[in-house]
Amino acid sequence: MKAIKKAGATVALLALGLGNLPAWGGFEDPLAVAALPNVAASRSPLVGVAAVGNRVVAVGQRGVVVVSEDGGKNWKQAQVPVRADLLAVHFPTAREGWAVGHGGVVIHTTDGGLTWTKQLDGHDVSRLIVDYYGKADVADGKQYVEREQSLAAFGGTEPFMGVYFENAQRGYVVGTFNRVLRTEDGGKTWTPLGHRVDNPDELHFYGISAGKSGLFVVGEQGRAWMHDKAEDRFVARPTGYEGTLFGIVVGDRALVAHGMRGSVYRSTDLGLSWQRVDIPGHAGVSGGLQLGDGRIVLTNLAGGLLIGSDAGDNFETYRANGAMSYFGVAPLDDKGLVLVGAEGVRLQGNAELAAAGPKAKLASNGATR
C-alpha cells in the first residue's frame, strides 16, 4: 500500500487558509458543535454558492451558511449543526440542498438552506468504507479496508471537496484520497464508489459538475474523469496538465477544466483530447459556469472574471467593481451572477456583463445556468 500522503486539499483549494481553529477556553470538536452566530457572516470568507431563482445560499468558514431570499439584497445566517469549514454546496431543487467540507461532513437542508442537519461526518465515512469493502465482493476490497484504516490512524475525517445531486434522491460527494460516495435515497444511505474510478494512485478529487455532456470530476495532476453510465464507472480523461484542477464547466459545446496558475483546458470530444487555453494572467482559476447566451464565465483569485465564447477557446478579463479573491460563482436567474470569496458576497448584474467578452450580448430572457 502506498505511504499516506498529506492531503493538501485546503491549501490547494483556492489558497483560503481556512482551518478549524480551537475555540477560546479549549478545543471543541467542529463536528460536534453548532456554527456560532456571526453578524458579518455575509462579509466573511465564503467558498461555495448555489442559487435557485431568487434564493441564494453560500457556505464558508466555521460552518457559516448565509441565505438570501431576494436575489442577494438581504442575507440571514442559517442554523448549522457543525463548525467545520464548508467548501461546496448544491441544490437540485429550491428546497433540498447539500453542503460538504472539512471533517468529511455532509449536511442537508429541506427548507431552502435556513436550517441544516448532519448526514455524515468523517468518522461515519470511515466506518462505512471499512464495512462496505469488508463485505462487498469487490476486487482488492481488502486493500480498500487497509487504506481506510491507515487514514483513520493518521487522524481520519478527510474532507469532501465537491457535491452534486441529479435530483433530490440521487447525488454524489467527492473528496481526498479517491473518495466518491453516492446516495440513491436523499442521503439516508451512501455507497462508496472508489472501486469504480480509474484512479489507482488515489489522487484527490476537487470538483464535480454535470451538464448535457454528462457528469465529470476533476482533481490532482490535471486529471478529469467522466461517468460512464453504461458501466457505472468514472473513466479517466487526463488533460495532460500536471497541476491541480479546481473545477470543470460542462458546457453545451465544450468542457472547460480550470485550476492552479491560470490553467484552463478545453475539450470538445468528452475529454478524449484537451487543448490548453491561453488566458490573461496567472492567478488560480477558482470557479465557472455557462451563461444563458452560451458564453462561459470563469472566476480567479485575482478578482477577475474571465468571459469566453461558448466553445471555451477565447477568454477576456472583466474586472468587477469591488473585486476580491473569488472562490465561487452561481447564476442569479436572469439578473446576472452572485460571486463569493475572501470578503463575502458580490453581485454582478447582466447590464455590466452584456458588453463584456466575446459574443456579447446576453440574451434578454436568457437565465444563466
Side-chain angles (χ1 to χ4, degrees), residues 73-332:
K73 295 177 182 178
N74 297 286
W75 296 85
K76 62 183 72 173
Q77 186 176 356
Q79 298 178 32
V80 178
V82 297
R83 209 173 293 172
D85 295 338
L86 301 173
L87 303 176
V89 60
H90 188 251
F91 276 73
T93 74
R95 308 293 291 179
E96 296 258 8
W98 282 261
V100 300
H102 282 214
V105 70
V106 179
I107 59 175
H108 174 228
T109 179
T110 59
D111 62 5
L114 296 175
T115 60
W116 297 76
T117 58
K118 184 173 70 170
Q119 288 189 331
L120 285 178
D121 64 29
H123 305 296
D124 301 323
V125 174
S126 285
R127 288 191 292 268
L128 187 158
I129 290 174
V130 169
D131 182 66
Y132 178 82
Y133 288 111
K135 297 177 180 178
D137 184 15
V138 173
D140 298 324
K142 183 178 179 181
Q143 292 187 29
Y144 285 103
V145 171
E146 292 175 349
R147 289 169 183 170
E148 188 60 37
Q149 290 173 335
S150 295
L151 286 171
F154 276 80
T157 63
E158 299 299 323
F160 283 121
M161 311 297 291
V163 55
Y164 177 80
F165 270 72
E166 296 176 4
N167 51 54
Q169 296 299 310
R170 181 184 177 92
Y172 299 82
V173 293
V174 301
T176 57
F177 296 104
N178 196 47
R179 269 175 166 69
V180 182
L181 273 63
R182 180 169 64 204
T183 181
E184 304 278 5
D185 56 13
K188 296 176 183 176
T189 60
W190 297 82
T191 302
L193 299 180
H195 62 295
R196 293 188 175 276
V197 187
D198 295 342
N199 187 21
D201 294 327
E202 297 181 284
L203 299 175
H204 303 328
F205 305 130
Y206 289 154
I208 181 169
S209 187
K212 291 182 179 179
S213 300
L215 178 68
F216 290 82
V217 175
V218 294
E220 283 188 295
Q221 296 183 17
R223 302 296 176 86
W225 294 263
M226 182 186 75
H227 183 244
D228 183 323
K229 288 186 177 181
E231 299 291 332
D232 192 19
R233 184 172 190 83
F234 286 89
V235 181
R237 293 286 191 261
T239 64
Y241 174 52
E242 295 182 355
T244 293
L245 295 173
F246 294 139
I248 183 169
V249 178
V250 185
D252 294 341
R253 291 187 58 199
L255 306 174
V256 178
H258 53 85
M260 296 177 65
R261 296 186 293 274
S263 300
V264 176
Y265 287 78
R266 66 183 287 269
S267 173
T268 57
D269 56 8
L270 300 180
L272 292 174
S273 63
W274 297 83
Q275 300 83 42
R276 185 179 178 99
V277 180
D278 291 329
I279 63 170
H282 301 285
V285 182
S286 49
L289 52 73
Q290 187 172 37
L291 296 170
D293 64 356
R295 289 179 299 161
I296 293 174
V297 175
L298 304 175
T299 60
N300 70 23
L301 300 179
L305 299 182
L306 302 165
I307 303 178
S309 69
D310 58 354
D313 58 353
N314 179 26
F315 286 88
E316 298 176 10
T317 299
Y318 175 82
R319 191 169 183 84
N321 294 328
M324 60 180 172
S325 290
Y326 295 130
F327 304 142
V329 58
L332 192 55

Side-chain angles (χ1 to χ4, degrees), residues 48-58 66-68 71-72 75 89-96 112 289 329-334 336-340 347 368-369:
V49 61
V52 181
N54 276 333
R55 181 181 295 272
V56 185
V57 180
V66 293
V67 181
S68 173
W75 296 85
V89 60
H90 188 251
F91 276 73
T93 74
R95 308 293 291 179
E96 296 258 8
L289 52 73
V329 58
L332 192 55
D333 208 5
D334 61 350
L337 303 174
V338 56
L339 303 130
V340 297
L347 301 179
T368 54
R369 57 178 178 263

